[in-house]
Structure formats: structure tokens, C-alpha cells
Amino acid sequence: MTAPMPRDLPDLPPIPRTHALIPFSVPTTAVASPVRRRPAAALRLLIAVTAAAGVALALLLGSPLQALSHFAVQSGILLAVVTALSARRAWTARPPLSSAWTGAALLYVVFSGLVYHLLLADSANPFPVTGASGRPTGLLAVAAHLLHTVVPVAAVLDWLLLTPPGRLRLRQTAPWLLYPLAYLGFSLIRAELIIPGTPGRHPYPFLDPATHGYQRTLAAALLLGLSLHALSLLLVALDHARPDPVPRRGKTGFRLQPPVG
């Protein structure tokens, strides 16, 4: 004979968790098919071609090694490569390129354009890539405007009109300064290896220790570095404050069902 069932059962203690839950994420392509952004791909390809044209003119009109020693030419090459890769990804509906690369290319071309228009445009030789004296004319003027005006403006428009906001990160600003720092060391070492008096020995007049001394040259480089860092912080802040230019789908066709029971 069994004992009667008690009316009030005591509360059972909770079962301790013996293992951690495994995180699981559902990719976006599982609920929404990838979309080709053909207009964005075409515009980015046009920007890449424009930057490549400015670099090609600078290389063809003078010494290629001298032209490659300029920050504007190097940043133009980086932008051409980055925008070409971004155009391919937009055309094939692949994930966008890392913001570490796109942000760096945007920062460098915008900074080179600002330095040109604020410090070099009114000088006697604002674009000494070919070593020629005097203000640029003809194809030299075209190369100067492409690298210092057209390409930076196009890069900013690509960032504002074709790129989703909030992709730039504050932690990326410090690594972005490594390349300009390496460029400063490269410029000073290159000047010491070239015979004094050679045209184009110093790519930029404010990086000429023979004229200004190392103390004033390094002070100018420090000021430019701080300005570059401030510009990077401004770009990150604006990237998180600006509206989204790309319309997003309100519905993906994926709907969760209520739990059963």
C-alpha cells in the first residue's frame, strides 16, 4: 500500500547550469538576399580612374621616383586601389571593405588637399613633382587639380552619399598616424641621400631642414601631425552624426512566430 500524495509539494531547487550557452549568430544573407549596388560601383570606379589619372600624369610629366615621393601621389594611389576594390564589392554584392582602409584613404587625400590649398597653393611652385619651377600650367595644372581638388572632393562625396554612417571607429585614428610618421622619416632620410641643390630634394618646403633647421622642421611636422589627428577625430565624429544616405529595407521577409503553448 502506497502513501497518499501530499497536497503541497515543496519548491524544487533550481538546476545549476553545467555549461555555458554557445553563441550563435544568423548571417544577414539567411534572411535577406544580397543586393548589387551598381550605381555605387560605377561611381566608385570613376573615382578610382580619376585618382589613377592624376597619379599617371604626375609620373609621366617628370621623374617617377620624384613623383612617388609626394604624399599626395601616394595617397592618390591608395585611394585608387581602395575605391576600385570597393566598386568590385558593390558590383558583386559582397560585404563592404573594412572601414580601416576606406577611412585611411579618405583621411589622407582630404589632408593632402587641405595642406595644398592652405599652405602651398599661393607659393611659387605649389606642385614640384616634376622639379619644374614656377606655377604649374597645362597638364601639370591638370595633375595638380586632380590630386588636390577633384580626388579629395570625390572621396568626401563617396563617403557622404554612398557609405553607411557609423563605420569609422575611434580606435582606428591612432593606427592611421603610423603611415604619415613613416612618411616623415622617409622624407628626411631621402633628403640626406640626395645631393644638395638637386631639384625636388625635399617634396614639401616645410620639410626642408637645410633651410629651416631640424628644430623648426620637426616642429612643423608635429603641428601637421596634430592637425591630421584632429581631422581624423572630426571625421569619426561626423561619421556617427550624419544621416544614412542609403535607404534600408523595412522588411526582410523573415518573421518570428510566437512560442507555442
Side-chain angles (χ1 to χ4, degrees):
M1 185 174 182
T2 59
M5 180 75 68
R7 294 183 178 181
D8 296 330
L9 294 176
D11 294 335
L12 297 177
I15 301 176
R17 180 178 296 178
T18 58
H19 61 278
L21 297 178
I22 301 176
F24 180 76
S25 60
V26 179
T28 307
T29 55
V31 296
S33 58
V35 179
R36 292 185 177 182
R37 299 177 58 193
R38 295 181 178 179
L43 291 175
R44 285 173 177 166
L45 183 60
L46 179 61
I47 296 174
V49 172
T50 303
V55 172
L57 284 176
L59 296 177
L60 294 175
L61 296 177
S63 172
L65 294 179
Q66 183 176 345
L68 290 174
S69 66
H70 282 253
F71 187 84
V73 175
Q74 296 179 11
S75 59
I77 294 175
L78 176 62
L79 182 72
V81 174
V82 167
T83 50
L85 293 177
S86 298
R88 184 176 182 275
R89 286 175 175 264
W91 183 267
T92 57
R94 296 179 60 189
L97 202 63
S98 173
S99 60
W101 290 103
T102 57
L106 171 67
L107 174 65
Y108 298 152
V109 296
V110 170
F111 184 72
S112 63
L114 290 176
V115 169
Y116 172 80
H117 288 286
L118 295 177
L119 301 179
L120 300 175
D122 295 331
S123 62
N125 192 12
F127 190 65
V129 171
T130 61
S133 60
R135 299 191 62 82
T137 57
L139 293 179
L140 280 178
V142 173
H145 286 297
L146 283 178
L147 290 176
H148 296 112
T149 305
V150 177
V151 169
V153 170
V156 171
L157 292 178
D158 173 42
W159 170 55
L160 293 177
L161 302 179
L162 302 178
T163 306
R167 298 189 62 214
L168 302 181
R169 297 290 182 265
L170 189 63
R171 64 177 180 271
Q172 296 171 341
T173 57
W176 287 342
L177 297 178
L178 295 178
Y179 164 62
L181 182 62
Y183 177 80
L184 173 62
F186 159 78
S187 299
L188 296 178
I189 294 175
R190 173 182 176 272
E192 295 297 329
L193 299 177
I194 297 178
I195 300 174
T198 303
R201 183 187 180 196
H202 300 281
Y204 298 96
F206 43 77
L207 296 179
D208 186 359
T211 303
H212 307 290
Y214 275 96
Q215 184 176 0
R216 294 186 61 183
T217 300
L218 293 179
L222 177 60
L223 182 60
L224 289 173
L226 293 176
S227 302
L228 178 64
H229 186 54
L231 179 61
S232 66
L233 296 178
L234 178 62
L235 290 178
V236 173
L238 293 177
D239 188 58
H240 287 265
R242 65 188 179 93
D244 192 350
V246 182
R248 304 295 172 184
R249 293 182 176 182
K251 298 181 180 180
T252 60
F254 180 78
R255 182 173 59 185
L256 294 176
Q257 298 294 336
V260 180

